[in-house]
Amino acid sequence: MQDHHWQLIAKQLKGELTPSEQQEWQDWLDKSETNQTQYEQAKVLWQTKSADSKLNDAEFLQHIQSDSAQVWQGILSQIDTPQRQHTSYAWIYKVAAMLAVTLGLAWTVLRHNTALLTGQTHFETTNFTDSTYLPDSTHVWLNKHTSISYGDFSGETREVTLDGEAFFEVTRDEQKPFIVKTNHAQIQVLGTSFNINSHGDLRNESLTVASGKVAYSTLQKPDQSIELVKNEHAILTSHTLLPVKTSMDPNFLAWKSGILLFENNDLDYVQKILSDYYDLEIIITDEDILSKRLTATFERMTAEESIQVICNLYGLQKTQQNNTITLAKK
């Protein structure tokens, strides 16, 4: 693997990828199963090393197989090892490694260690996006601050619990429906792709279908669902008893694609989309500026680059305090 790819893996493990690097990272990860395996190995080794406070880097290299050692060397070439704190879970990693008969089995068991204790696998992100595969080969991309939990899909349904935002490419199985449950609703499909944005505090939960067909209902009234097909969008709020269909936002997958599309949109909408995408609070102070229109495509641009475009087009100047950026007339 080239040094640049090791650098991307290292920054992903530390949660330091920029928005432009996020897309480059995702493109590389999706390119081949070999790349995905390489990353999984690196992530498990990173977690394992973090869990064991007794081994230094040299000792750790002696305790892992040759393929793993090569991966660990790649990580070390880009970053310092994480600060290690001893936890009561360190023995899980050690036992799993002893029982693993192949490297592939080792990193699978280690990565999904919660399944050893509860029968449920828990996968979550913090300040970075990531993706994973479920037992049925369904591919899931998780936005920042998102978590999913799921079992082995051995029953009559394939059930996943979600808190946050994720895009699902569901493997079709007509005999076993795929169900996503949030804190407020559930989505049932056979095989499709869709984006669900749901947080525990029920702001506006939203569902957008990219392909196929889904049934969307509240947990309180699971038998009263609405049906959505490709390019349809629905929201659920604390004021609605059922999800309500609305117009689809073209930027619903910007967090995954790295591309923001504006087509004759007012700047009030633009500032909200940019704020959400860059995890900033962007405020345009002049009411007459908010009503002006923008048609543009921002592709894998940094916050600084996107804001500079707005400033240049509308004669604005930027001031920033912590996480708040204010744009005002010069």
Side-chain angles (χ1 to χ4, degrees):
M1 178 182 290
Q2 299 176 359
D3 287 345
H4 181 60
H5 292 151
W6 278 121
Q7 186 178 35
L8 289 176
I9 284 182
K11 295 185 75 172
Q12 171 73 358
L13 291 171
K14 297 176 69 180
E16 295 178 352
L17 287 175
T18 65
S20 61
E21 289 172 332
Q22 283 280 1
Q23 186 58 44
E24 183 182 3
W25 156 257
Q26 194 64 60
D27 290 343
W28 175 83
L29 192 67
D30 293 340
K31 189 174 183 179
S32 71
E33 291 185 4
T34 300
N35 291 350
Q36 294 164 12
T37 300
Q38 192 93 64
Y39 170 57
E40 296 293 348
Q41 293 171 343
K43 182 158 61 173
V44 168
L45 290 169
W46 176 261
Q47 294 171 342
T48 307
K49 188 63 158 58
S50 300
D52 198 324
S53 60
K54 297 180 179 179
L55 298 179
N56 60 36
D57 293 332
E59 292 170 334
F60 186 65
L61 285 169
Q62 294 176 358
H63 279 260
I64 56 181
Q65 301 180 35
S66 58
D67 288 345
S68 297
Q70 183 178 3
V71 173
W72 184 248
Q73 288 281 26
I75 301 173
L76 290 179
S77 70
Q78 299 298 329
I79 52 179
D80 294 329
T81 55
Q83 293 295 324
R84 300 186 294 275
Q85 296 180 345
H86 181 72
T87 74
S88 60
Y89 292 100
W91 66 272
I92 296 177
Y93 296 103
K94 294 177 182 178
V95 172
M98 291 173 61
L99 294 176
V101 295
T102 66
L103 179 61
L105 177 59
W107 62 256
T108 299
V109 172
L110 289 168
R111 181 184 180 214
H112 297 140
N113 63 81
T114 53
L116 297 174
L117 304 176
T118 67
Q120 288 282 310
T121 297
H122 185 75
F123 188 94
E124 65 180 311
T125 59
T126 52
N127 60 337
F128 56 90
T129 63
D130 205 347
S131 69
T132 189
Y133 286 90
L134 304 186
D136 64 343
S137 297
T138 288
H139 197 177
V140 186
W141 288 262
L142 289 77
N143 203 348
K144 299 175 183 179
H145 310 296
T146 295
S147 65
I148 58 172
S149 298
Y150 53 91
D152 60 6
F153 294 171
S154 61
E156 296 181 354
T157 61
R158 298 169 287 168
E159 190 167 308
V160 178
T161 301
L162 167 72
D163 185 21
E165 182 172 19
F167 181 82
F168 292 81
E169 282 187 355
V170 180
T171 300
R172 188 171 186 83
D173 185 346
E174 296 185 2
Q175 305 302 316
K176 189 173 291 191
F178 188 94
I179 299 172
V180 177
K181 288 189 175 181
T182 70
N183 288 303
H184 322 287
Q186 72 174 29
I187 300 94
Q188 181 168 327
V189 305
L190 296 177
T192 184
S193 59
F194 59 92
N195 190 81
I196 180 73
N197 188 352
S198 175
H199 292 267
D201 56 352
L202 187 55
R203 298 175 291 179
N204 286 346
E205 176 174 302
S206 64
L207 171 68
T208 307
V209 178
S211 66
K213 180 170 60 177
V214 308
Y216 190 23
S217 63
T218 63
L219 294 179
Q220 291 77 15
K221 297 184 178 182
D223 297 330
Q224 299 182 30
S225 63
I226 65 170
E227 195 172 87
L228 285 83
V229 296
K230 181 178 179 179
N231 293 333
E232 287 193 327
H233 176 80
I235 63 170
L236 176 66
T237 74
S238 57
H239 305 296
T240 59
L241 299 178
L242 291 173
V244 177
K245 289 186 180 181
T246 65
S247 58
M248 186 183 74
D249 189 328
N251 290 304
F252 79 98
L253 273 185
W255 66 269
K256 179 176 175 288
S257 68
I259 301 173
L260 293 165
L261 300 173
F262 301 109
E263 188 171 348
N264 198 32
N265 296 116
D266 60 52
L267 290 189
D268 188 27
Y269 168 81
V270 172
Q271 72 173 356
K272 292 174 183 175
I273 294 298
L274 293 180
S275 294
D276 184 62
Y277 180 72
Y278 292 115
D279 201 18
L280 297 168
E281 185 178 10
I282 300 173
I283 302 171
I284 298 176
T285 58
D286 299 279
E287 292 293 331
D288 58 329
I289 296 293
L290 287 174
S291 62
K292 291 187 178 296
R293 300 278 170 171
L294 174 68
T295 297
T297 300
F298 295 166
E299 185 169 351
R300 300 179 183 90
M301 293 172 63
T302 65
E304 180 69 27
E305 291 169 338
S306 297
I307 291 170
Q308 191 59 53
V309 169
I310 302 297
C311 290
N312 291 343
L313 285 174
Y314 301 100
L316 306 177
Q317 61 183 1
K318 179 191 78 170
T319 58
Q320 181 167 356
Q321 184 174 8
N322 299 324
N323 210 42
T324 300
I325 295 177
T326 301
L327 306 181
K329 290 180 181 178
K330 293 182 178 179

